[in-house]
Amino acid sequence: MKKRILPSLKLQFTVLVLSIIIVFIFLNIITGKLISNLLFEKNLQYSRTISQKLVRELEYTNKRMVAASSTLQYESILQKYFKEELDFDTITKVEKSISVLKLYYDDIFDIALIDDEYINSIYLERETLNEIVKRAENDRRLKCVGLYEQNYMDKNITTIAFDNKVFGMDMGDTYGEYFGDIIISVDVDTILKNFEARTVQGISFVILDKYNKFYPINCTKEVGKNIITKIDGNTTKTDMLTDDKSIIIVEEIKDMDLYIVSNIDKKYTKKDVGYIQLIISIICIIFIIIVCFAFMVIYKNTVKPIHSIGDYLKTIISGNYKKLKEKVIVNGNKEIVELADDLNDMIDEINTLTHKLVNTSNNLYQAEIEKKRAEISYLRSQINPHFLYNTLETMKGIAMSNNIVEISTMAQCLGDIFRYSIKGSSEVTLEEEVKMIKAYIDIQMFKFGNKGTVFYNINNETLNIIIPKMIMQPLVENAFVHAIEKNTDDTTLYIGTKIDEHNLIIIIQDDGVGIEPSQLDGIIANLDSENDDSSHVGISNVHRRIRMIYGNEYGVKIESEHGEGTKISIMLPINRKQFE
């Protein structure tokens, strides 16, 4: 009978191990390339995202400073300050107005007043103030004039300076006459104190003005200087520069003559790739060692017994037939197949060995399952995200212990609002929403004092109706900003609910200054516009949100009479499940 030519088990193991090593080396190289490209794209995208966030943050600061300077500019006491001889009462009132503004806008570092004769500034010298005035030229709007360093308590503070020209507002000979300048300095550190870009490794961010003064956001001044040197005056020509060591992205801040410059250091990307490749290589080596060890164990426990069986057969062939009483079952590759026909009477012993092998495999499998369960249990552990709420509770306790009732109440209200806002569900009962609104109004009342009175008329039948979360707060906030704050008299705010047929009606009404007809028409027209950039964008957002959830028959309705007040009605469907 012709013998079959079969590969030996040892040869098969050797070929398999070599194949695995080659595949792992190839995968390591490919993975390194893919990870390098992925990290580069991720860093580039992240850099642009952070830069755009910084741009929006500074643009928002610019708008806030416009509001602050306008508030101060149109005060009659400031007009008197510039056009008349100074007296103690005028200076005191101006200082009080400035102090109020600095308290309201916590990022304002200094407000300076300057004219041809006098200056009123705590931190800036006249030479610096004159330079700021010169940079502002004759622009009648608030203008950002760049970055300045100011000394405060033996520490250099980097600020953004804004200049606003003051002109005569009273009808008469001085109307339109240039009086002087309001110069506002904003602390950059205060603006960016909680900004996430400060902790990014390998990506540096710098604020640059058109006079080549810069502020390093998350890097040293030396690194920032090197970044600015690389730009070499190209900030208005391109938004991205690259070389062998880094990639620089330039984002312009409109109307401020400022730029956000981000620098991606390729060294860190290569370092990350190398670190990942090292980990992959270690894992591959460990896996190969385990595979080789497993193959050695299999070879030792399979091939060698087969050779022993061969020796056993030789003993039988030599004439020692007592061995025939021992039962052996052989099953496997080349060596086992060659012995199978001669050793069928040894099945019992082989079954015993197979049973032991199965038990061993089951034990290993159970151990692996327990390991996976432990890993899953670890991954499921989470950190309780209530740190901020607990901090507010601590503030409340400290305020109570110091008998500061106002701060304690505000901390309590703010804690309630925060806990309500992080609630997982996007829908709440009307009762929950009203409780949050009351907490919000309590906070606002600390600001406006006796200027506003609030009446609630909440129908008890509406308390359990389900509504979208946070739809009342923007409208109540709108009433405070445009009615109570602007009205010099006491303003009444009415909040009520009722059921009209199959619909829930929420009413928010005030007797403030109202809205002019032309402005009201624009607000109503913008309710369904996706590009509403007016000061009433909160109303539009609530209206569009309701329509997206319930349909176009529901939403917000605005009624207003100039000089009489404004009424906003929200119509929602009734969730019938609440009445079962």
Side-chain angles (χ1 to χ4, degrees):
M1 182 178 178
K2 186 177 180 180
K3 293 184 178 181
R4 291 177 292 173
I5 301 176
L6 298 173
S8 66
L9 194 58
K10 183 178 181 180
L11 177 61
Q12 293 181 49
F13 285 166
T14 303
V15 172
L16 183 58
V17 171
L18 291 176
S19 299
I20 292 175
I21 293 174
I22 293 172
V23 169
F24 279 156
I25 292 174
F26 179 75
L27 287 177
N28 196 16
I29 295 173
I30 297 299
T31 303
K33 294 291 184 181
L34 293 176
I35 292 175
S36 178
N37 293 334
L38 182 63
L39 287 177
F40 172 78
E41 291 296 333
K42 182 179 179 181
N43 287 343
L44 189 62
Q45 182 181 2
Y46 184 80
S47 176
R48 287 190 180 278
T49 301
I50 295 300
S51 295
Q52 290 168 4
K53 286 183 179 180
L54 286 166
V55 168
R56 289 194 294 269
E57 187 73 23
L58 291 176
E59 286 177 344
Y60 174 67
T61 299
N62 186 53
K63 291 179 181 179
R64 294 173 72 247
M65 293 307 106
V66 169
S69 64
S70 297
T71 300
L72 187 61
Q73 178 182 3
Y74 294 118
E75 288 192 6
S76 59
I77 191 63
L78 188 74
Q79 296 282 319
K80 181 179 179 181
Y81 175 88
F82 278 111
K83 72 179 182 180
E84 298 180 4
E85 291 293 331
L86 295 181
D87 54 44
F88 179 76
D89 183 59
T90 301
I91 294 175
T92 301
K93 289 181 179 180
V94 169
E95 291 290 346
K96 182 178 180 181
S97 297
I98 291 174
S99 298
V100 170
L101 272 182
K102 291 173 73 174
L103 286 174
Y104 187 74
Y105 299 94
D106 60 348
D107 49 357
I108 292 181
F109 180 73
D110 184 33
I111 298 179
L113 304 176
I114 180 173
D115 58 15
D116 293 338
E117 296 182 7
Y118 303 102
I119 65 170
N120 184 348
S121 175
I122 300 176
Y123 303 105
L124 295 177
E125 302 291 339
R126 174 172 281 277
E127 181 180 353
T128 303
L129 293 172
N130 288 337
E131 180 184 344
I132 293 174
V133 172
K134 183 178 179 181
R135 286 186 179 182
E137 300 175 345
N138 294 322
D139 200 330
R140 286 179 172 264
R141 301 173 302 170
L142 179 80
K143 184 172 182 179
C144 174
V145 295
L147 299 170
Y148 282 87
E149 284 194 357
Q150 302 183 25
N151 187 272
Y152 175 71
M153 297 180 66
D154 297 328
K155 182 172 66 173
N156 287 331
I157 304 295
T158 301
T159 62
I160 301 175
F162 297 86
D163 180 272
N164 193 18
K165 305 294 183 184
V166 179
F167 297 90
M169 301 298 295
D170 298 331
M171 300 302 295
D173 295 338
T174 61
Y175 180 78
E177 179 183 344
Y178 168 69
F179 285 161
D181 294 76
I182 301 172
I183 297 173
I184 302 177
S185 299
V186 181
D187 185 2
V188 180
D189 280 331
T190 303
I191 298 174
L192 305 176
K193 60 183 176 182
N194 295 322
F195 207 74
E196 61 181 299
R198 292 181 176 271
T199 61
V200 178
Q201 186 179 29
I203 305 179
S204 303
F205 294 90
V206 175
I207 301 176
L208 174 67
D209 65 13
K210 68 177 183 179
Y211 304 99
N212 283 332
K213 290 186 177 180
F214 66 91
Y215 170 78
I217 296 176
N218 65 333
C219 60
T220 63
K221 285 191 175 182
E222 183 179 354
V223 172
K225 184 176 181 180
N226 292 334
I227 295 172
I228 301 306
T229 303
K230 293 178 183 179
I231 296 177
D232 194 22
N234 289 322
T235 53
T236 60
K237 298 179 181 179
T238 180
D239 67 340
M240 188 167 73
L241 304 172
T242 182
D243 56 27
D244 294 336
K245 296 182 178 180
S246 62
I247 298 173
I248 297 177
I249 301 173
V250 181
E251 294 281 352
E252 181 181 2
I253 305 176
K254 296 180 180 179
D255 300 329
M256 294 186 71
D257 291 330
L258 296 178
Y259 303 90
I260 299 297
V261 182
S262 59
N263 180 80
I264 303 174
D265 194 337
K266 292 182 178 180
K267 177 181 67 176
Y268 286 93
T269 301
K270 294 177 180 178
K271 182 179 179 181
D272 291 340
V273 173
Y275 178 71
I276 294 173
Q277 281 188 307
L278 177 62
I279 293 176
I280 294 174
S281 299
I282 292 173
I283 294 173
C284 291
I285 291 172
I286 293 173
F287 184 79
I288 291 172
I289 292 173
I290 293 173
V291 170
C292 291
F293 178 76
F295 287 164
M296 290 175 62
V297 171
I298 294 173
Y299 179 79
K300 179 181 178 181
N301 293 305
T302 304
V303 178
K304 284 189 175 182
I306 290 175
H307 289 307
S308 298
I309 293 173
D311 295 337
Y312 170 79
L313 291 176
K314 291 177 183 178
T315 302
I316 294 176
I317 293 172
S318 66
N320 188 1
Y321 296 108
K322 293 181 180 180
K323 293 286 185 179
L324 292 174
K325 296 180 180 180
E326 299 179 7
K327 301 295 183 180
V328 178
I329 296 176
V330 178
N331 195 7
N333 292 310
K334 174 185 175 181
E335 293 81 1
I336 298 176
V337 170
E338 291 176 347
L339 297 173
D341 294 338
D342 298 324
L343 301 175
N344 286 332
D345 57 330
M346 304 178 73
I347 293 176
D348 293 339
E349 187 175 350
I350 293 298
N351 281 337
T352 302
L353 294 175
T354 303
H355 182 69
K356 291 182 179 179
L357 183 60
V358 170
N359 288 338
T360 303
S361 299
N362 287 337
N363 292 336
L364 291 174
Y365 180 71
Q366 290 298 327
E368 185 68 17
I369 289 177
E370 291 300 321
K371 178 182 177 183
K372 294 297 183 182
R373 287 177 178 171
E375 292 175 353
I376 293 173
S377 177
Y378 173 77
L379 292 174
R380 285 178 177 172
S381 62
Q382 298 178 353
I383 300 174
N384 192 334
H386 291 292
F387 170 71
L388 291 179
Y389 177 73
N390 292 336
T391 301
L392 290 173
E393 286 294 316
T394 303
M395 292 171 59
K396 172 187 172 183
I398 294 174
M400 289 296 293
S401 65
N402 288 276
N403 200 25
I404 309 177
V405 180
E406 292 84 354
I407 295 179
S408 174
T409 304
M410 291 178 70
Q412 175 67 45
C413 293
L414 186 59
D416 292 342
I417 295 172
F418 175 73
R419 181 167 54 183
Y420 178 81
S421 65
I422 65 173
K423 183 179 179 181
S425 175
S426 61
E427 293 183 331
V428 296
T429 63
L430 179 65
E431 182 179 13
E432 293 174 307
E433 182 82 354
V434 169
K435 286 182 180 179
M436 185 277 294
I437 288 299
K438 289 182 178 180
Y440 173 79
I441 290 175
D442 288 343
I443 293 176
Q444 289 286 23
M445 283 305 180
F446 283 106
K447 174 182 176 182
F448 294 101
N450 297 324
K451 283 191 64 178
T453 304
V454 183
F455 292 98
Y456 298 95
N457 185 19
I458 308 300
N459 190 331
N460 289 334
E461 294 182 3
T462 65
L463 291 176
N464 290 328
I465 296 178
I466 295 295
I467 64 172
K469 186 166 68 174
M470 297 295 287
I471 63 168
M472 294 178 64
Q473 188 275 333
L475 308 184
V476 174
E477 180 180 0
N478 192 73
F480 273 96
V481 173
H482 297 285
I484 297 177
E485 183 174 352
K486 292 184 178 180
N487 196 2
T488 56
D489 299 327
D490 183 32
T491 303
T492 301
L493 178 63
Y494 170 84
I495 299 175
T497 63
K498 64 180 181 178
I499 296 177
D500 183 10
E501 295 182 355
H502 300 295
N503 298 319
L504 167 66
I505 306 298
I506 302 173
I507 300 172
I508 300 172
Q509 185 173 359
D510 65 74
D511 59 355
V513 296
I515 306 173
E516 294 184 358
S518 59
Q519 186 180 4
L520 178 62
D521 293 339
I523 295 172
I524 295 174
N526 284 329
L527 280 180
D528 296 314
S529 172
E530 295 183 357
N531 299 316
D532 182 14
D533 58 354
S534 68
S535 60
H536 300 274
V537 66
I539 301 177
S540 300
N541 287 340
V542 172
H543 179 70
R544 288 196 295 271
R545 183 180 168 199
I546 293 173
R547 287 200 165 189
M548 287 177 64
I549 297 173
Y550 302 113
N552 292 337
E553 63 268 29
Y554 301 99
V556 176
K557 180 181 178 182
I558 306 175
E559 303 172 76
S560 183
E561 191 74 29
H562 185 58
E564 298 295 331
T566 302
K567 177 182 178 181
I568 298 178
S569 303
I570 305 173
M571 186 169 72
L572 300 170
I574 295 176
N575 189 336
R576 292 294 180 182
K577 293 182 180 179
Q578 299 301 315
F579 296 94
E580 294 179 356

